[in-house]
Amino acid sequence: MKLLRILEKDDMEISISNLKKIYGDYAAADLALLTIPSGESFGLVGNNGAGKTTLFRCVLDLIEPDEGLVTIGDTSTSGNDSWKHFTGSFLDEGFLIGHLLPEEYFNFIASIHGITKTDLQAKLDEFEHLFNGEILGGKKLIRDLSKGNQKKVGIAASLVFDPKVLVLDEPFANLDPSTQIRLKELLRNLKDDHGVTMLISSHDLSHVTEVCERVVLLEKGKIINDIRTSDGTLEELENYFASV
């Protein structure tokens, strides 16, 4: 697989402080402090309702927290757009434009980031292994693709402009085993060879422990455990979820 060319790494530390998002009597996010160093592959796990997606949406300024601050580098994600030029993300199909062909959507993303057609095609060529002949050159609109192929489009679109920060919510869901393996290889290359700061959530504990060097366990919006990944991490997580 060809490697993506990522822009020279700057300080892309992510800092989350005193973050709260409350819905009625329920705290979807309640974090005093969470720091993700530049270049770290960070995994987030938790049961449904733990607050994983809420946290990611607060980080990406898609929802406004009731309290707290999120910064990437020295830039607050609230109230400005400068951080979006180096942050790639895909949380769900709502990020896509369903009435476009995949090629049209990639062209749209490229136009936002000032990527030429030639450079875009070179980027898409790098995803040939991930696409497995199922994305480009067909006649299906994005909304008519399978959930797995929609995910391929979203992940590729989040990477075509060489982000320094990558946020993915459940990237392995709906993907077939071969594509999961290829995606894990791609994510490891982004971290190990290009220093991309990555935030990845997953219900699949084995995938997240394979890809991420650090895993945070979230429950009811709070951090329950913060683990440096080792040979025993998967068993530790499985034991926790077996007991709740």
PDB file of all heavy atoms in Angstrom, residues 211-236:
ATOM      1  N   VAL A 211      -4.563  -0.769  17.157  1.00  0.00           N
ATOM      2  CA  VAL A 211      -4.205   0.461  16.450  1.00  0.00           C
ATOM      3  C   VAL A 211      -3.708   1.550  17.384  1.00  0.00           C
ATOM      4  O   VAL A 211      -2.835   2.340  17.007  1.00  0.00           O
ATOM      5  CB  VAL A 211      -5.430   0.976  15.649  1.00  0.00           C
ATOM      6  CG1 VAL A 211      -5.184   2.365  15.093  1.00  0.00           C
ATOM      7  CG2 VAL A 211      -5.778   0.008  14.531  1.00  0.00           C
ATOM      8  N   CYS A 212      -4.227   1.596  18.610  1.00  0.00           N
ATOM      9  CA  CYS A 212      -3.980   2.739  19.496  1.00  0.00           C
ATOM     10  C   CYS A 212      -2.965   2.402  20.581  1.00  0.00           C
ATOM     11  O   CYS A 212      -3.025   1.341  21.192  1.00  0.00           O
ATOM     12  CB  CYS A 212      -5.286   3.202  20.137  1.00  0.00           C
ATOM     13  SG  CYS A 212      -6.511   3.747  18.926  1.00  0.00           S
ATOM     14  N   GLU A 213      -2.073   3.331  20.837  1.00  0.00           N
ATOM     15  CA  GLU A 213      -1.069   3.142  21.888  1.00  0.00           C
ATOM     16  C   GLU A 213      -1.598   3.512  23.270  1.00  0.00           C
ATOM     17  O   GLU A 213      -0.958   3.239  24.289  1.00  0.00           O
ATOM     18  CB  GLU A 213       0.170   3.981  21.573  1.00  0.00           C
ATOM     19  CG  GLU A 213      -0.078   5.479  21.516  1.00  0.00           C
ATOM     20  CD  GLU A 213       1.106   6.225  20.947  1.00  0.00           C
ATOM     21  OE1 GLU A 213       2.221   6.102  21.500  1.00  0.00           O
ATOM     22  OE2 GLU A 213       0.920   6.930  19.925  1.00  0.00           O
ATOM     23  N   ARG A 214      -2.772   4.143  23.291  1.00  0.00           N
ATOM     24  CA  ARG A 214      -3.396   4.538  24.557  1.00  0.00           C
ATOM     25  C   ARG A 214      -4.901   4.399  24.396  1.00  0.00           C
ATOM     26  O   ARG A 214      -5.452   4.751  23.351  1.00  0.00           O
ATOM     27  CB  ARG A 214      -3.029   5.982  24.884  1.00  0.00           C
ATOM     28  CG  ARG A 214      -3.693   6.567  26.124  1.00  0.00           C
ATOM     29  CD  ARG A 214      -3.348   8.035  26.217  1.00  0.00           C
ATOM     30  NE  ARG A 214      -4.040   8.728  27.275  1.00  0.00           N
ATOM     31  CZ  ARG A 214      -4.165  10.062  27.325  1.00  0.00           C
ATOM     32  NH1 ARG A 214      -3.651  10.808  26.356  1.00  0.00           N
ATOM     33  NH2 ARG A 214      -4.803  10.637  28.324  1.00  0.00           N
ATOM     34  N   VAL A 215      -5.560   3.872  25.430  1.00  0.00           N
ATOM     35  CA  VAL A 215      -7.008   3.674  25.374  1.00  0.00           C
ATOM     36  C   VAL A 215      -7.636   4.253  26.637  1.00  0.00           C
ATOM     37  O   VAL A 215      -7.205   3.942  27.757  1.00  0.00           O
ATOM     38  CB  VAL A 215      -7.372   2.182  25.254  1.00  0.00           C
ATOM     39  CG1 VAL A 215      -8.888   2.008  25.258  1.00  0.00           C
ATOM     40  CG2 VAL A 215      -6.771   1.582  23.986  1.00  0.00           C
ATOM     41  N   VAL A 216      -8.640   5.082  26.452  1.00  0.00           N
ATOM     42  CA  VAL A 216      -9.400   5.634  27.572  1.00  0.00           C
ATOM     43  C   VAL A 216     -10.775   4.982  27.602  1.00  0.00           C
ATOM     44  O   VAL A 216     -11.446   4.872  26.569  1.00  0.00           O
ATOM     45  CB  VAL A 216      -9.525   7.167  27.463  1.00  0.00           C
ATOM     46  CG1 VAL A 216     -10.700   7.688  28.273  1.00  0.00           C
ATOM     47  CG2 VAL A 216      -8.239   7.832  27.929  1.00  0.00           C
ATOM     48  N   LEU A 217     -11.177   4.539  28.765  1.00  0.00           N
ATOM     49  CA  LEU A 217     -12.477   3.922  28.993  1.00  0.00           C
ATOM     50  C   LEU A 217     -13.433   4.975  29.549  1.00  0.00           C
ATOM     51  O   LEU A 217     -13.168   5.586  30.582  1.00  0.00           O
ATOM     52  CB  LEU A 217     -12.326   2.764  29.982  1.00  0.00           C
ATOM     53  CG  LEU A 217     -13.594   2.093  30.507  1.00  0.00           C
ATOM     54  CD1 LEU A 217     -14.434   1.558  29.359  1.00  0.00           C
ATOM     55  CD2 LEU A 217     -13.231   0.973  31.473  1.00  0.00           C
ATOM     56  N   LEU A 218     -14.516   5.180  28.827  1.00  0.00           N
ATOM     57  CA  LEU A 218     -15.497   6.202  29.193  1.00  0.00           C
ATOM     58  C   LEU A 218     -16.780   5.523  29.644  1.00  0.00           C
ATOM     59  O   LEU A 218     -17.227   4.550  29.045  1.00  0.00           O
ATOM     60  CB  LEU A 218     -15.772   7.095  27.982  1.00  0.00           C
ATOM     61  CG  LEU A 218     -16.298   8.508  28.212  1.00  0.00           C
ATOM     62  CD1 LEU A 218     -15.261   9.347  28.950  1.00  0.00           C
ATOM     63  CD2 LEU A 218     -16.639   9.166  26.872  1.00  0.00           C
ATOM     64  N   GLU A 219     -17.378   6.033  30.695  1.00  0.00           N
ATOM     65  CA  GLU A 219     -18.650   5.508  31.187  1.00  0.00           C
ATOM     66  C   GLU A 219     -19.458   6.658  31.767  1.00  0.00           C
ATOM     67  O   GLU A 219     -18.980   7.399  32.627  1.00  0.00           O
ATOM     68  CB  GLU A 219     -18.412   4.439  32.251  1.00  0.00           C
ATOM     69  CG  GLU A 219     -19.580   3.498  32.466  1.00  0.00           C
ATOM     70  CD  GLU A 219     -19.902   2.662  31.235  1.00  0.00           C
ATOM     71  OE1 GLU A 219     -19.037   1.899  30.761  1.00  0.00           O
ATOM     72  OE2 GLU A 219     -21.034   2.798  30.727  1.00  0.00           O
ATOM     73  N   LYS A 220     -20.670   6.845  31.261  1.00  0.00           N
ATOM     74  CA  LYS A 220     -21.555   7.922  31.691  1.00  0.00           C
ATOM     75  C   LYS A 220     -20.860   9.273  31.635  1.00  0.00           C
ATOM     76  O   LYS A 220     -20.998  10.109  32.537  1.00  0.00           O
ATOM     77  CB  LYS A 220     -22.088   7.646  33.102  1.00  0.00           C
ATOM     78  CG  LYS A 220     -22.967   6.395  33.185  1.00  0.00           C
ATOM     79  CD  LYS A 220     -23.500   6.153  34.567  1.00  0.00           C
ATOM     80  CE  LYS A 220     -24.379   4.907  34.603  1.00  0.00           C
ATOM     81  NZ  LYS A 220     -24.897   4.616  35.959  1.00  0.00           N
ATOM     82  N   GLY A 221     -20.098   9.474  30.569  1.00  0.00           N
ATOM     83  CA  GLY A 221     -19.447  10.755  30.319  1.00  0.00           C
ATOM     84  C   GLY A 221     -18.166  10.988  31.069  1.00  0.00           C
ATOM     85  O   GLY A 221     -17.500  12.014  30.870  1.00  0.00           O
ATOM     86  N   LYS A 222     -17.778  10.046  31.935  1.00  0.00           N
ATOM     87  CA  LYS A 222     -16.578  10.217  32.758  1.00  0.00           C
ATOM     88  C   LYS A 222     -15.497   9.214  32.378  1.00  0.00           C
ATOM     89  O   LYS A 222     -15.797   8.099  31.922  1.00  0.00           O
ATOM     90  CB  LYS A 222     -16.909  10.058  34.247  1.00  0.00           C
ATOM     91  CG  LYS A 222     -17.803  11.141  34.820  1.00  0.00           C
ATOM     92  CD  LYS A 222     -18.072  10.892  36.295  1.00  0.00           C
ATOM     93  CE  LYS A 222     -18.941  11.983  36.915  1.00  0.00           C
ATOM     94  NZ  LYS A 222     -18.220  13.281  36.995  1.00  0.00           N
ATOM     95  N   ILE A 223     -14.251   9.592  32.614  1.00  0.00           N
ATOM     96  CA  ILE A 223     -13.127   8.690  32.376  1.00  0.00           C
ATOM     97  C   ILE A 223     -13.023   7.709  33.540  1.00  0.00           C
ATOM     98  O   ILE A 223     -12.856   8.113  34.695  1.00  0.00           O
ATOM     99  CB  ILE A 223     -11.811   9.482  32.219  1.00  0.00           C
ATOM    100  CG1 ILE A 223     -11.869  10.354  30.965  1.00  0.00           C
ATOM    101  CG2 ILE A 223     -10.620   8.526  32.148  1.00  0.00           C
ATOM    102  CD1 ILE A 223     -10.669  11.268  30.801  1.00  0.00           C
ATOM    103  N   ILE A 224     -13.132   6.424  33.225  1.00  0.00           N
ATOM    104  CA  ILE A 224     -13.032   5.377  34.228  1.00  0.00           C
ATOM    105  C   ILE A 224     -11.603   4.847  34.323  1.00  0.00           C
ATOM    106  O   ILE A 224     -11.117   4.509  35.399  1.00  0.00           O
ATOM    107  CB  ILE A 224     -14.000   4.211  33.907  1.00  0.00           C
ATOM    108  CG1 ILE A 224     -15.439   4.721  33.812  1.00  0.00           C
ATOM    109  CG2 ILE A 224     -13.883   3.097  34.947  1.00  0.00           C
ATOM    110  CD1 ILE A 224     -15.943   5.351  35.084  1.00  0.00           C
ATOM    111  N   ASN A 225     -10.929   4.766  33.191  1.00  0.00           N
ATOM    112  CA  ASN A 225      -9.561   4.252  33.172  1.00  0.00           C
ATOM    113  C   ASN A 225      -8.825   4.840  31.973  1.00  0.00           C
ATOM    114  O   ASN A 225      -9.421   5.139  30.941  1.00  0.00           O
ATOM    115  CB  ASN A 225      -9.546   2.723  33.101  1.00  0.00           C
ATOM    116  CG  ASN A 225      -8.290   2.120  33.675  1.00  0.00           C
ATOM    117  OD1 ASN A 225      -7.319   2.829  33.945  1.00  0.00           O
ATOM    118  ND2 ASN A 225      -8.286   0.813  33.873  1.00  0.00           N
ATOM    119  N   ASP A 226      -7.524   5.015  32.123  1.00  0.00           N
ATOM    120  CA  ASP A 226      -6.657   5.565  31.084  1.00  0.00           C
ATOM    121  C   ASP A 226      -5.459   4.632  30.989  1.00  0.00           C
ATOM    122  O   ASP A 226      -4.641   4.568  31.904  1.00  0.00           O
ATOM    123  CB  ASP A 226      -6.238   6.982  31.467  1.00  0.00           C
ATOM    124  CG  ASP A 226      -5.540   7.719  30.328  1.00  0.00           C
ATOM    125  OD1 ASP A 226      -4.991   7.053  29.429  1.00  0.00           O
ATOM    126  OD2 ASP A 226      -5.526   8.969  30.347  1.00  0.00           O
ATOM    127  N   ILE A 227      -5.369   3.875  29.886  1.00  0.00           N
ATOM    128  CA  ILE A 227      -4.457   2.731  29.808  1.00  0.00           C
ATOM    129  C   ILE A 227      -3.455   2.920  28.674  1.00  0.00           C
ATOM    130  O   ILE A 227      -3.828   3.248  27.547  1.00  0.00           O
ATOM    131  CB  ILE A 227      -5.250   1.424  29.556  1.00  0.00           C
ATOM    132  CG1 ILE A 227      -6.374   1.251  30.575  1.00  0.00           C
ATOM    133  CG2 ILE A 227      -4.320   0.225  29.553  1.00  0.00           C
ATOM    134  CD1 ILE A 227      -7.369   0.177  30.190  1.00  0.00           C
ATOM    135  N   ARG A 228      -2.182   2.689  28.974  1.00  0.00           N
ATOM    136  CA  ARG A 228      -1.180   2.568  27.924  1.00  0.00           C
ATOM    137  C   ARG A 228      -1.263   1.151  27.376  1.00  0.00           C
ATOM    138  O   ARG A 228      -1.186   0.172  28.116  1.00  0.00           O
ATOM    139  CB  ARG A 228       0.234   2.827  28.454  1.00  0.00           C
ATOM    140  CG  ARG A 228       0.442   4.175  29.111  1.00  0.00           C
ATOM    141  CD  ARG A 228       0.129   5.333  28.209  1.00  0.00           C
ATOM    142  NE  ARG A 228       0.941   5.363  27.004  1.00  0.00           N
ATOM    143  CZ  ARG A 228       0.898   6.334  26.104  1.00  0.00           C
ATOM    144  NH1 ARG A 228       0.046   7.337  26.263  1.00  0.00           N
ATOM    145  NH2 ARG A 228       1.660   6.291  25.031  1.00  0.00           N
ATOM    146  N   THR A 229      -1.424   1.029  26.070  1.00  0.00           N
ATOM    147  CA  THR A 229      -1.677  -0.276  25.478  1.00  0.00           C
ATOM    148  C   THR A 229      -0.486  -1.212  25.647  1.00  0.00           C
ATOM    149  O   THR A 229       0.666  -0.837  25.391  1.00  0.00           O
ATOM    150  CB  THR A 229      -1.989  -0.128  23.980  1.00  0.00           C
ATOM    151  OG1 THR A 229      -3.056   0.802  23.824  1.00  0.00           O
ATOM    152  CG2 THR A 229      -2.414  -1.452  23.389  1.00  0.00           C
ATOM    153  N   SER A 230      -0.788  -2.425  26.089  1.00  0.00           N
ATOM    154  CA  SER A 230       0.231  -3.464  26.264  1.00  0.00           C
ATOM    155  C   SER A 230      -0.402  -4.807  25.901  1.00  0.00           C
ATOM    156  O   SER A 230      -1.564  -4.878  25.491  1.00  0.00           O
ATOM    157  CB  SER A 230       0.735  -3.485  27.708  1.00  0.00           C
ATOM    158  OG  SER A 230      -0.308  -3.900  28.594  1.00  0.00           O
ATOM    159  N   ASP A 231       0.355  -5.874  26.087  1.00  0.00           N
ATOM    160  CA  ASP A 231      -0.165  -7.206  25.755  1.00  0.00           C
ATOM    161  C   ASP A 231      -1.389  -7.570  26.590  1.00  0.00           C
ATOM    162  O   ASP A 231      -2.205  -8.384  26.171  1.00  0.00           O
ATOM    163  CB  ASP A 231       0.929  -8.260  25.964  1.00  0.00           C
ATOM    164  CG  ASP A 231       2.049  -8.149  24.945  1.00  0.00           C
ATOM    165  OD1 ASP A 231       1.826  -7.520  23.890  1.00  0.00           O
ATOM    166  OD2 ASP A 231       3.158  -8.663  25.214  1.00  0.00           O
ATOM    167  N   GLY A 232      -1.526  -6.968  27.770  1.00  0.00           N
ATOM    168  CA  GLY A 232      -2.642  -7.320  28.641  1.00  0.00           C
ATOM    169  C   GLY A 232      -3.838  -6.387  28.552  1.00  0.00           C
ATOM    170  O   GLY A 232      -4.834  -6.597  29.252  1.00  0.00           O
ATOM    171  N   THR A 233      -3.771  -5.375  27.679  1.00  0.00           N
ATOM    172  CA  THR A 233      -4.837  -4.368  27.635  1.00  0.00           C
ATOM    173  C   THR A 233      -6.165  -4.954  27.187  1.00  0.00           C
ATOM    174  O   THR A 233      -7.216  -4.661  27.761  1.00  0.00           O
ATOM    175  CB  THR A 233      -4.441  -3.204  26.714  1.00  0.00           C
ATOM    176  OG1 THR A 233      -3.228  -2.619  27.193  1.00  0.00           O
ATOM    177  CG2 THR A 233      -5.530  -2.145  26.689  1.00  0.00           C
ATOM    178  N   LEU A 234      -6.151  -5.772  26.153  1.00  0.00           N
ATOM    179  CA  LEU A 234      -7.395  -6.340  25.643  1.00  0.00           C
ATOM    180  C   LEU A 234      -8.094  -7.150  26.723  1.00  0.00           C
ATOM    181  O   LEU A 234      -9.305  -7.011  26.943  1.00  0.00           O
ATOM    182  CB  LEU A 234      -7.123  -7.210  24.413  1.00  0.00           C
ATOM    183  CG  LEU A 234      -8.346  -7.913  23.802  1.00  0.00           C
ATOM    184  CD1 LEU A 234      -9.413  -6.906  23.405  1.00  0.00           C
ATOM    185  CD2 LEU A 234      -7.921  -8.761  22.602  1.00  0.00           C
ATOM    186  N   GLU A 235      -7.359  -7.989  27.422  1.00  0.00           N
ATOM    187  CA  GLU A 235      -7.948  -8.799  28.492  1.00  0.00           C
ATOM    188  C   GLU A 235      -8.480  -7.909  29.608  1.00  0.00           C
ATOM    189  O   GLU A 235      -9.566  -8.166  30.161  1.00  0.00           O
ATOM    190  CB  GLU A 235      -6.919  -9.778  29.045  1.00  0.00           C
ATOM    191  CG  GLU A 235      -7.486 -10.697  30.116  1.00  0.00           C
ATOM    192  CD  GLU A 235      -6.462 -11.701  30.629  1.00  0.00           C
ATOM    193  OE1 GLU A 235      -5.296 -11.642  30.177  1.00  0.00           O
ATOM    194  OE2 GLU A 235      -6.832 -12.530  31.482  1.00  0.00           O
ATOM    195  N   GLU A 236      -7.752  -6.855  29.945  1.00  0.00           N
ATOM    196  CA  GLU A 236      -8.198  -5.938  30.991  1.00  0.00           C
ATOM    197  C   GLU A 236      -9.530  -5.284  30.614  1.00  0.00           C
ATOM    198  O   GLU A 236     -10.454  -5.192  31.436  1.00  0.00           O
ATOM    199  CB  GLU A 236      -7.135  -4.861  31.224  1.00  0.00           C
ATOM    200  CG  GLU A 236      -7.472  -3.866  32.323  1.00  0.00           C
ATOM    201  CD  GLU A 236      -6.373  -2.845  32.563  1.00  0.00           C
ATOM    202  OE1 GLU A 236      -5.291  -2.975  31.947  1.00  0.00           O
ATOM    203  OE2 GLU A 236      -6.596  -1.923  33.372  1.00  0.00           O
TER     204      GLU A 236
END
